[in-house]
Amino acid sequence: MKATPRVSRPVSWPRLLLHILLILIVVCFMGVFLLLPLATVFVEALRSGVHAFMQAIAQREALSSMRLTLFVAAIAVPLNLIFGVAAAWAMTRFEFRGKALLGTFIDLPFSVSPVISGLLYVLLFGAQGWFGPWLDQHGVRIIFAVPSLVLVTIFITLPFVARELIPLMQAQGSDEEEAARVLGASAWQMFFRVTLPNIRWALLYGVLLCKARAMGEFGAVSVVSGHIRGLTTTMPREVEMRYNEYDYVGAFAVASLLALLALLTLAVKTLLEWRYGDQIAQHTPAGH
Amino acid sequence: MTLLLSHLSRHFTDAAALDDVSLAIAPGEFLALLGSSGSGKTTLLRILAGLDYPQTGSVTWGGHDLLNMNARERKVGLVFQHYALFRHLTVTENIAFGLRVRPRHARPARAEISARVEKLLKRVQLEGYGKRFPAQLSGGQRQRVALARALAVEPELLLLDEPFGALDAQVRIALRRWLRNLHEELGLTTVFVTHDQEEALELADRVAVMNRGRIEQVGTPEAIYQQPATPFVCEFIGKVNKFELRREQDRLICGALELGADPWARRYDRAVAYIRPEHLALSASGWKAHLRHIYLAGSVAHLELALDASEQIIEVDVPSEDLLQMSLQPGAELYVEARTATVFPLLDAPGEAKPEDRRVLKPHQRA
């Protein structure tokens, strides 16, 4: 093999300096704002040793907050998956009056502060709210109970799946679906054999984002939960409560678990990207 | 089984895509729907495929109401303009799709499906490509996979939407002839949509020229080219020189140019005449003109002339060999004779003509 000389533009020293400077800025930024805080969480959690850490997360309240967080996510995420697919379908496959309005509504949870979102639910279902007295009469408790946590989490995470799918489905168009119909596929066959395989990666990203937010949501949950330890306290709330009680090891231990869950999500996403990278490239419109 | 379309209308919110379209398609026929974008040709095709429905009108096929049938009952194969292959499935899976989605009692056995796919791969000359994904194929190959997929369900009516639109010129011509052979071999009824008149005239048994949701003319390629029925068809098909005419006593004139006697017995005051470049010839007498440009295009030379009498620019086609002998230069003075001109009377409303009063004039016919 003949070695081909590498041709590159000669770099003058002020230019080189600029390169180095820009790289340094990015590295410092990443370090200070991303890596350092993340590392702190784990360092603080393990400050008093592994034993203290284990003790902190084995407490009844910690375990119940974990259960609650996973429980809420397990309801909110599948519901938003179904809603997201249906909404993206409606937005990209049909022309109808009020389509722009629907798009705005899907984005609403992004633009409204989570605290306000929580307040809205209190106003609807609280003791003095619109439906509060009626619900009270029938013995249904929503606010300051688990149902309210599920409701606000669904509200907060509503846009994630739909927003991930809409641009993709728009770019892919409906040709393949129409082809399936003409070839005799039923509506369900078309959905499961053509639509779903084409959007699976975007759907997965949407679900992962949705899950991360569902588990990490603090503001809205804080408003409706009523701070009943062991009953309506999710992991982010548990972290705050322990922190306020000067239980730093406990707070950081629970926080590190939350961070671990997030890292796990990232790892799964990266693994899938690495494993199915070629397929993902095929499924994005640019690669087609 | 004759495919009978009668009085189809389809209105979208802003415009009419189909406006009272009627058409009979004979079994085994190869029909082209020719028109520019927005002419309604694709809407018509989608209605036949069951992807769109007309607001009024009916489609029957051998007496059965096609509009009331679902896609499976229609026995229709559709090839999309951009192929619409299932990108997550291999070539084999794409072709087998229409068979695999059938309900169990109508679904062929696994072995039969793969035998049929193999046969189709052979037919579209893609043996050995079964395991590839659409992204790994060239445009022409994708096109043939799309065709095989449509043929797998054994349709009696094959619909093609701009089948060659996305291919480069050489592949296009080869595939065209191949498709025509396939059509004859399988005895299908084929309807294809195109904006390419050359393609339509070369391939089809009959051509339906569409404009603004209406069918302007249906006929053999020869009839469409030689006897265009409406001003639109004159202007849309081939090249044409257009003359706006005025009636003066019993003569039709354009500026100081005379095209012939008024064929309508003074019923109309204005008319429009169309003369194809090949129906004009250089001669010793006739209309005086000056040569502006010569565009040599192989065997034919296109001459751009300015007519002295009407100050109009026209195009005349002459064989390149004849041109060589004349050794013409731009600016040269010439005489042009028109063999045939197609004229339509114009009504008062701008752009409106009466196709039924179409006449053919022979401006320079010697007695």
Side-chain angles (χ1 to χ4, degrees):
Chain A
M1 249 212 287
K2 220 171 77 176
T4 45
R6 240 190 80 177
V7 182
S8 63
R9 201 160 47 136
V11 181
S12 59
W13 70 264
R15 234 189 139 72
L16 196 69
L17 210 67
L18 187 72
H19 285 193
I20 293 169
L21 194 71
L22 285 174
I23 292 168
L24 266 178
I25 289 173
V26 172
V27 169
C28 288
F29 199 89
M30 294 265 293
V32 171
F33 288 97
L34 282 177
L35 294 176
L36 198 64
L38 193 62
T40 313
V41 171
F42 292 101
V43 169
E44 288 294 325
L46 295 165
R47 180 172 291 266
S48 310
V50 178
H51 184 68
F53 173 82
M54 294 307 286
Q55 236 173 8
I57 61 171
Q59 281 171 20
R60 206 173 57 83
E61 291 87 358
L63 289 174
S64 96
S65 76
M66 276 177 239
R67 252 197 315 269
L68 187 60
T69 292
L70 292 175
F71 175 76
V72 168
I75 295 177
V77 173
L79 281 179
N80 270 332
L81 184 144
I82 295 168
F83 169 80
V85 172
W89 184 275
M91 290 288 291
T92 56
R93 296 294 181 259
F94 297 98
E95 288 303 323
F96 53 91
R97 221 176 280 233
K99 188 170 161 176
L101 201 68
L102 176 65
T104 312
F105 275 128
I106 291 174
D107 284 338
L108 195 68
F110 273 164
S111 43
V112 173
S113 155
V115 177
I116 309 290
S117 310
L119 266 175
L120 293 178
Y121 279 83
V122 173
L123 284 175
L124 279 177
F125 301 115
Q128 271 78 45
W130 287 10
F131 306 115
W134 187 86
L135 288 168
D136 218 32
Q137 272 171 21
H138 293 77
V140 181
R141 251 190 107 69
I142 290 183
I143 298 300
F144 305 146
V146 175
S148 68
L149 301 181
V150 176
L151 284 176
V152 294
T153 307
I154 290 173
F155 180 83
I156 292 293
T157 57
L158 183 129
F160 286 97
V161 175
R163 275 293 148 210
E164 196 71 30
L165 291 182
I166 287 169
L168 180 75
M169 288 177 73
Q170 225 147 30
Q172 285 183 343
S174 53
D175 271 10
E176 286 179 47
E177 284 150 10
E178 290 186 336
R181 292 295 282 177
V182 176
L183 286 167
S186 69
W188 287 114
Q189 282 176 324
M190 175 194 77
F191 180 75
F192 284 109
R193 288 174 184 237
V194 177
T195 311
L196 202 58
N198 276 346
I199 60 170
R200 59 187 163 187
W201 296 112
L203 190 62
L204 184 73
Y205 283 173
V207 166
L208 288 178
L209 286 173
C210 184
K211 178 193 119 325
R213 183 64 195 266
M215 295 195 308
E217 175 52 29
F218 176 83
V221 166
S222 174
V223 175
V224 297
S225 82
H227 310 191
I228 308 167
R229 204 98 186 246
L231 273 181
T232 63
T233 313
T234 58
M235 285 172 82
R237 287 278 314 139
E238 181 71 20
V239 173
E240 194 222 12
M241 283 175 149
R242 289 183 179 215
Y243 190 82
N244 287 345
E245 289 158 8
Y246 307 104
D247 176 9
Y248 294 132
V249 171
F252 279 106
V254 177
S256 70
L257 280 185
L258 253 184
L260 264 181
L261 280 172
L263 287 177
L264 198 72
T265 306
L266 267 181
V268 169
K269 179 174 167 284
T270 313
L271 192 76
L272 285 169
E273 271 174 357
W274 171 72
R275 172 74 180 74
Y276 297 106
D278 47 339
Q279 278 190 43
I280 295 171
Q282 260 181 46
H283 281 74
T284 52
H288 180 59
Chain B
M1 288 202 289
T2 304
L3 186 62
L4 208 62
L5 289 65
S6 47
H7 304 292
L8 291 180
S9 288
R10 174 76 172 95
H11 298 271
F12 293 117
T13 42
D14 43 349
L18 288 180
D19 186 6
D20 197 28
V21 167
S22 297
L23 185 64
I25 302 168
E29 194 172 17
F30 202 108
L31 181 100
L33 295 173
L34 175 64
S36 47
S37 60
S39 63
K41 57 191 195 305
T42 300
T43 305
L44 191 56
L45 200 75
R46 288 173 62 85
I47 287 173
L48 292 180
L51 293 172
D52 202 346
Y53 288 86
Q55 271 117 358
T56 58
S58 68
V59 182
T60 60
W61 196 9
H64 299 287
D65 183 4
L66 198 71
L67 296 177
N68 270 332
M69 293 185 200
N70 64 34
R72 204 176 289 154
E73 297 161 342
R74 284 189 189 206
K75 298 208 144 203
V76 160
L78 172 62
V79 177
F80 286 76
Q81 183 175 5
H82 300 291
Y83 322 131
L85 296 177
F86 306 125
R87 60 193 99 182
H88 63 290
L89 300 180
T90 63
V91 168
T92 299
E93 290 165 335
N94 261 283
I95 298 174
F97 187 91
L99 299 172
R100 287 192 179 154
V101 295
R102 285 186 181 171
R104 188 155 300 161
H105 62 86
R107 194 188 310 155
R110 206 172 278 247
E112 199 196 323
I113 291 180
S114 52
R116 224 194 269 187
V117 170
E118 275 311 308
K119 224 171 98 187
L120 280 162
L121 279 175
K122 203 170 187 176
R123 184 174 278 293
V124 298
Q125 298 157 13
L126 284 172
E127 283 165 291
Y129 284 82
K131 290 207 167 62
R132 297 214 190 171
F133 283 94
Q136 296 164 314
L137 301 176
S138 72
Q141 289 168 339
R142 280 182 214 179
Q143 165 75 301
R144 282 179 280 151
V145 174
L147 197 63
R149 184 179 69 176
L151 292 174
V153 294
E154 296 180 325
E156 288 164 20
L157 175 64
L158 184 62
L159 305 172
L160 306 157
D161 187 5
E162 299 272 1
F164 315 105
L167 302 173
D168 51 56
Q170 274 191 328
V171 180
R172 193 185 303 193
I173 288 170
L175 212 54
R176 242 190 236 174
R177 307 246 157 107
W178 176 82
L179 185 70
R180 177 74 224 201
N181 290 337
L182 191 79
H183 162 84
E184 271 153 30
E185 228 174 283
L186 296 177
L188 295 163
T189 305
T190 306
V191 177
F192 80 105
V193 153
T194 182
H195 67 273
D196 184 341
Q197 45 169 299
E198 193 191 315
E199 198 170 285
L201 297 178
E202 184 188 314
L203 264 179
D205 296 325
R206 281 198 308 157
V207 178
V209 182
M210 295 193 66
N211 177 36
R212 288 189 292 177
R214 291 173 158 275
I215 293 182
E216 293 265 338
Q217 186 177 4
V218 191
T220 61
E222 199 193 313
I224 297 278
Y225 190 80
Q226 300 295 350
Q227 296 143 29
T230 67
F232 176 82
V233 178
C234 282
E235 289 181 41
F236 190 68
I237 306 284
K239 268 193 217 161
V240 79
N241 294 302
K242 183 179 177 182
F243 297 85
E244 307 255 353
L245 305 179
R246 218 159 28 81
R247 182 177 62 80
E248 206 154 89
Q249 301 300 335
D250 284 325
R251 316 297 298 166
L252 290 178
I253 59 161
C254 172
L257 214 66
E258 188 177 319
L259 266 92
D262 169 24
W264 300 296
R266 297 194 179 188
R267 266 188 295 147
Y268 306 106
D269 291 330
R270 295 189 309 121
V272 59
Y274 295 98
I275 307 176
R276 292 208 184 278
E278 68 263 31
H279 293 154
L280 288 164
L282 303 181
S283 74
S285 62
W287 298 331
K288 195 171 158 194
H290 282 88
L291 181 63
R292 285 164 54 101
H293 285 292
I294 299 174
Y295 300 102
L296 202 62
S299 59
V300 178
H302 309 293
L303 306 188
E304 194 180 286
L305 307 180
L307 287 174
D308 285 14
S310 64
E311 291 173 2
Q312 198 173 347
I313 308 294
I314 59 165
E315 192 170 305
V316 179
D317 282 0
V318 288
S320 301
E321 275 183 43
D322 297 3
L323 192 73
L324 224 64
Q325 290 168 1
M326 288 184 269
S327 66
L328 288 174
Q329 294 298 321
E333 199 178 270
L334 297 164
Y335 288 90
V336 185
E337 281 192 342
R339 286 198 291 270
T340 57
T342 307
V343 288
F344 297 91
L346 284 180
L347 302 183
D348 287 335
E352 214 173 297
K354 293 198 87 173
E356 60 273 24
D357 277 334
R358 165 184 177 276
R359 298 285 185 277
V360 176
L361 300 182
K362 312 265 183 200
H364 292 100
Q365 200 175 43
R366 289 172 193 93

